[in-house]
Amino acid sequence: MMTALAFAARHGRAALVLGLLAGLLLPGLAAALKPWLPEMVAGLLFLNAYRIGLRKAAGGLADGIGTLKAIAFLQVALPLLALGLASLFGVVQTPAAVSLILMLSAPSVTGSPNITSLMGHAPEPAFRLLITGTALMPLTIIPVFLLAPGLGDLGGVLRASARLIGAIGVTVLAAFLLRRLTLPNLRAEQAKAIDGLTVIALSVIVVGLMAALGPALRTDPLLVLQWLGFALAANLGLQVLTFAVMRRRAGSGAVPCAVVAGNRNFALFLIALPAATTEPLLIFLGCYQIPMYLTAILMKPLYGRPILRTGT
């Protein structure tokens, strides 16, 4: 079993591509997995927290100011900039502008530490951005929704973010406790096995996330291609810009910050806002998974030499 999981870890990027293809080509399977997405995402977060452990997760608390600055940049400055530009050009109510503003207002996706790890970089900074950004989301979204009330109901988003924070808190604490009780000193081969398990989890999750994209691709492929181009530009473009800005200031934290910049938990708003607001954005959500799951392949040349250290 350890050997099989280590094999999955070594071929993680190929596994993610297979997951994307399965989501597109197996609509029945995607539809069957879709109702289980919340549980699968929680399981992925549990694996991340278990793999990293409390010691490493807390290891960057001394750089708490740096993490807070990154969150302010990612979840406040960027969406307000997008909102200002959309207002300037009179397109703030278009589905594309709404998608971009909501995406930028969201915290990191649960899989950002895994994506960072697949490129050979340390996942801990991405994990801290995930936890801190989610915890601060009730505060960071307020200026965006106050300046753009047409985006939806702020109260609904606050309630949804509170539920999300509670679920993440329970999951992470349980993972830290189990890690301390079972594997306080994680060996390199054990870390590789957990990495392989998280790769498998990511590959299964993306199948469910693609449930809305397959049918749309068969009925209106041109529309899907347009949204796909927009999603690629939003995700990968943000990663490139953030990495260019952060590489000289954040050092080894530039890659995790760039990964988080482009890969956000946009789906949170789909459960918090009215259907009239979110229905036009479902195709974007499906297209958004493609650059997210291809980040480990497409962005590795830009992010350069890995700095990851395995083990404890």
Side-chain angles (χ1 to χ4, degrees):
M1 178 62 72
M2 296 279 284
T3 303
L5 291 175
F7 178 84
R10 288 195 302 272
H11 300 278
R13 284 170 284 177
L16 298 188
V17 174
L18 289 176
L20 282 172
L21 293 175
L24 287 173
L25 301 177
L26 301 172
L29 178 61
L33 290 174
K34 186 179 178 181
W36 297 95
L37 282 174
E39 289 80 5
M40 289 190 291
V41 169
L44 180 63
L45 178 63
F46 183 92
L47 289 173
N48 274 318
Y50 187 86
R51 164 69 169 83
I52 291 170
L54 178 59
R55 191 191 319 169
K56 280 194 173 183
L61 290 180
D63 188 36
I65 298 299
T67 300
L68 292 176
K69 287 180 178 178
I71 296 300
F73 170 71
L74 294 172
Q75 294 178 212
V76 181
L78 286 181
L80 288 179
L81 176 61
L83 176 60
L85 291 174
S87 300
L88 180 65
F89 290 100
V91 296
V92 72
Q93 296 296 333
T94 62
V98 172
S99 297
L100 182 61
I101 294 167
L102 291 178
M103 184 201 90
L104 293 173
S105 302
S108 168
V109 295
T110 309
S112 60
N114 306 97
I115 296 170
T116 305
S117 179
L118 282 172
M119 292 184 288
H121 291 267
E124 292 85 7
F127 183 79
R128 289 192 289 268
L129 287 171
L130 161 65
I131 300 301
T132 307
T134 302
L136 293 178
M137 185 183 170
L139 296 177
T140 61
I141 61 171
I142 290 176
V144 180
F145 274 73
L146 287 179
L147 292 173
L151 291 179
D153 176 33
L154 176 61
V157 175
L158 291 174
R159 288 189 293 273
S161 62
R163 292 195 299 270
L164 181 66
I165 291 167
I168 285 178
V170 170
T171 302
V172 169
L173 289 176
F176 285 161
L177 178 61
L178 187 63
R179 166 69 186 273
R180 183 176 180 84
L181 293 175
T182 57
L183 291 175
N185 297 307
L186 193 67
R187 299 194 305 272
E189 63 271 19
Q190 294 169 329
K192 277 292 183 185
I194 298 173
D195 289 342
L197 193 58
T198 57
V199 164
I200 294 171
L202 276 170
S203 302
V204 173
I205 288 171
V206 73
V207 178
L209 288 171
M210 300 288 282
L213 189 57
L217 188 59
R218 285 182 284 274
T219 58
D220 196 343
L222 180 59
L223 178 64
V224 172
L225 288 176
Q226 291 172 341
W227 275 110
L228 177 59
F230 181 71
L232 287 167
N235 185 314
L236 302 180
L238 275 167
Q239 290 194 58
V240 171
L241 290 174
T242 303
F243 183 67
V245 171
M246 301 294 291
R247 64 188 304 180
R248 294 182 181 178
R249 301 180 181 182
S252 61
V255 171
C257 189
V259 170
V260 169
N263 297 288
R264 310 290 191 95
N265 190 9
F266 172 71
L268 170 66
F269 293 106
L270 299 183
I271 62 174
L273 297 179
T277 301
T278 59
E279 190 66 29
L281 314 181
L282 291 177
I283 298 179
F284 173 75
L285 176 64
C287 292
Y288 187 60
Q289 309 309 311
I290 294 176
M292 183 188 303
Y293 277 77
L294 293 181
T295 288
I297 296 173
L298 298 178
M299 302 302 290
K300 187 174 174 61
L302 174 67
Y303 292 151
R305 180 175 297 180
I307 57 170
L308 177 64
R309 296 185 299 271
T310 58
T312 59

